[in-house]
Amino acid sequence: MLVLCIHLLILLPFGAIAAPQKSTETTASSPLHYLQGTPPLSASSSGTFSRLRQKVLGNVFRFGKAAADESIRVGDNSVKLNPSDARPPARLLTRYGGDVVLRFKMKTVEESHALTEAINVLFLDVWEFRDDWVDIRLSKDVVPSLLGLLPDSLQHAHTPLMHDLAQTVYDSYPAPALSGHSTPSDLHHNAFSPNLRTSTQSTENIFFRDYQPMSVIAPWMHLLASLFPTHVRMVNIGISYEGRDIPALRVGVHPTNSQQPSAPRKTIIISGGSHAREWISISTVNYVAYSMITSYGKSASVTKLLEEFDWIFIPTINPDGYVTTWETDRLWRKNRQQTSLRFCRGVDLDRAWGFQWDGETTKGNPCSESYPGEEPFQAVEAYRFAQWVKNETENNNVEIVGYLDLHSYSQQILYPYSYSCASSPPSFENLEELAIGLAKAIRLSRGGEQYGVTSACEGSVLGKKQRSATSTSGSEDSKKIVVTPRMETGGGSALDWFYHEMGVRYSYQLKLRDTGSYGFLLPKENIVPTGEEVVSAVTYFGRFLLGNKGIEGMDDGEERADFPPKNTEPELKDQHQTSNPDEFGEYDEGYPDEMDWELRRRHRRR
């Protein structure tokens, strides 16, 4: 009954049964009214029904008081969400005001060794790294100490990525909608609307105009499950260390023929938020879930994917850490578990899994951002997630066939193994082929970015393929990989555990936007573009698993216009079919050959 009332309150427009009201002076709009999707009362929407509706929604979604306060909690202080506040509040200035993010570029193995040792000595926060650069967050006061440990060649090999970290952190929190971009009426209709229009729904929906806290995400997920009961269910993966639910959406259409025993239900898991500060991964999981849910019955390709697979969408397996990033420390990474050192909390949820757990190097340092715990699966959330997966496969007739773990940043698609480059996975060629296809699908999406493809072990070390010296005969030896020290351990990853322990043949880690300009503090304007990229990749992923390797088009001319949202990527035909150049353009004809060429190039390089 409560759900029915909420549905009616959401669907009926403001003032539907409201009594005439006298004109009143319009008050300033509260930023969190925009954030949570409830416009402030005005002369045209202050009737009896509107007030009742506003009160019920405020109580259910718990944003009435926050909206009145026009602030969010950051530790013991309230942070005003006011565009007129040009500078961050004192709490943020105290925590981040003296910090910078520097990118060091390295050219030799010796430089990589020196930088790795200095990072370990000073316990620095490594944000991200590739084969020739590393991003480090540190206090300005520590910069001289770091440079004192480095060789002369690195003294001037760094550039600042963020001059004012406190301001960048402050700007990453939600702000009110800009004047003239939307009206309260528009926001009302799009906040939690079940509108089935898929062409522009996600971009118009207020939910994806800003990052959302857990207190909004959870009721939003409940609402989707109640509005689309034919193919959406709310599930609970487990309980976090601090006692919070780990919510997920199971999306799929199950067969109804009970006369025949059903085969194990093929299931694909898409998760985000293992590292709490990677907000874009959480919003992207929600974006993909929402796009697929609202496209069921409207797009033939999506409908087929939901009929053939169950999709498990887990916005964050680290709800405690995510809440901490909203209330205390925007750059918190680990979970909130107590460790052997009282003042160093948290275990890295992507280093705590049981396969090739490598805790010997850092288990004595709970303050490390990559601390894996004192034993495998010590992290509560990783353990609960693993138990849930095992229970599904052993007792609930489920077969996990795909796993996508979303992270940020650096724009990479990583495949197993993460723990070591010495071992190649048995299905290496298939993994690499699909990874290249995912990168291609992302690039062809509207405004898609370039994503690199590599093994996760290569993404965990600083290494370069270097050409050896020319021999006396004039010929050159083949290139060899010079592996330098790891910036962080690669063992105990969820990626490797799903692939090796659960037999999930297609397991990937996607590192989303960007490549360092903002890092973990990616502006909200990137939420929808990143979501569209991953929707394209996920659609390709599903088609590949159906057996057509992502290049078999479907005879559904309308779906290309409405899914993915505002996606201009052409449908890709099977390479043995005759394509229509007028309909599909150059991408269709060149795609299979381009993929084959890329695979051949990579194999020669190895």
Side-chain angles (χ1 to χ4, degrees), residues 56 100 113 157 171 204 225 267 332 368 438 442 490 510 525 572 605:
V56 171
V100 293
H113 275 283
D171 292 341
E204 290 181 356
T267 300
W332 185 262
S368 169
L438 295 176
I442 289 174
L510 273 63
E525 288 79 11
L572 301 173
R605 188 181 66 185

Side-chain angles (χ1 to χ4, degrees), residues 132 172 206 249 301 312 326 358 425 579 592:
D132 59 350
S172 72
I206 187 64
L249 291 174
S301 60
I312 308 296
W326 283 83
D358 181 21
S579 62

Side-chain angles (χ1 to χ4, degrees), residues 42 262 268 295 321 445:
S42 64
S262 59
I268 298 170
S295 294
S445 64

Side-chain angles (χ1 to χ4, degrees), residues 123-142:
F123 301 109
L124 300 182
D125 181 9
V126 176
W127 274 26
E128 191 54 76
F129 48 87
R130 296 287 290 269
D131 57 359
D132 59 350
W133 57 259
V134 57
D135 295 344
I136 306 172
R137 172 198 166 197
L138 71 167
S139 171
K140 296 176 184 177
D141 298 335
V142 179

Side-chain angles (χ1 to χ4, degrees), residues 478 596-606:
S478 60
D596 292 341
W597 178 87
E598 174 67 13
L599 286 172
R600 289 196 297 269
R601 183 182 69 82
R602 286 170 168 270
H603 293 162
R604 286 198 303 269
R605 188 181 66 185
R606 290 177 178 275

Side-chain angles (χ1 to χ4, degrees), residues 61 80 86 95 134 201 264 347 354 364 467 514 516 551-552 594:
F61 294 108
K80 297 282 186 181
R95 182 178 290 274
V134 57
Q201 173 65 15
V347 177
R467 188 177 299 277
D514 57 6
I551 56 177
E552 179 182 45
E594 182 176 342

Side-chain angles (χ1 to χ4, degrees), residues 173-203:
Y173 283 106
L178 295 177
S179 176
H181 284 211
S182 57
T183 64
S185 176
D186 295 332
L187 296 175
H188 154 62
H189 287 297
N190 289 313
F192 292 95
S193 170
N195 191 335
L196 295 179
R197 292 182 295 111
T198 58
S199 59
T200 60
Q201 173 65 15
S202 294
T203 56

Side-chain angles (χ1 to χ4, degrees), residues 146-266:
L146 173 61
L147 295 178
L149 297 174
L150 300 179
D152 293 340
S153 58
L154 287 177
Q155 294 299 310
H156 303 286
H158 60 278
T159 56
L161 295 181
M162 298 178 193
H163 294 276
D164 192 343
L165 185 60
Q167 184 67 51
T168 309
V169 167
Y170 180 62
D171 292 341
S172 72
Y173 283 106
L178 295 177
S179 176
H181 284 211
S182 57
T183 64
S185 176
D186 295 332
L187 296 175
H188 154 62
H189 287 297
N190 289 313
F192 292 95
S193 170
N195 191 335
L196 295 179
R197 292 182 295 111
T198 58
S199 59
T200 60
Q201 173 65 15
S202 294
T203 56
E204 290 181 356
N205 195 303
I206 187 64
F207 188 82
F208 298 108
R209 291 188 185 175
D210 247 321
Y211 295 106
Q212 306 293 353
M214 203 66 201
S215 59
V216 173
I217 292 175
W220 177 79
M221 296 171 69
H222 278 288
L223 184 61
L224 287 178
S226 61
L227 290 176
F228 302 96
T230 57
H231 55 289
V232 182
R233 285 193 294 147
M234 186 86 168
V235 297
N236 186 20
I237 301 301
I239 305 297
S240 71
Y241 175 78
E242 294 182 343
R244 294 181 176 90
D245 289 339
I246 305 174
L249 291 174
R250 183 188 293 270
V251 181
V253 182
H254 289 233
T256 57
N257 187 355
S258 59
Q259 301 299 320
Q260 299 178 356
S262 59
R265 180 65 171 173
K266 292 180 171 58

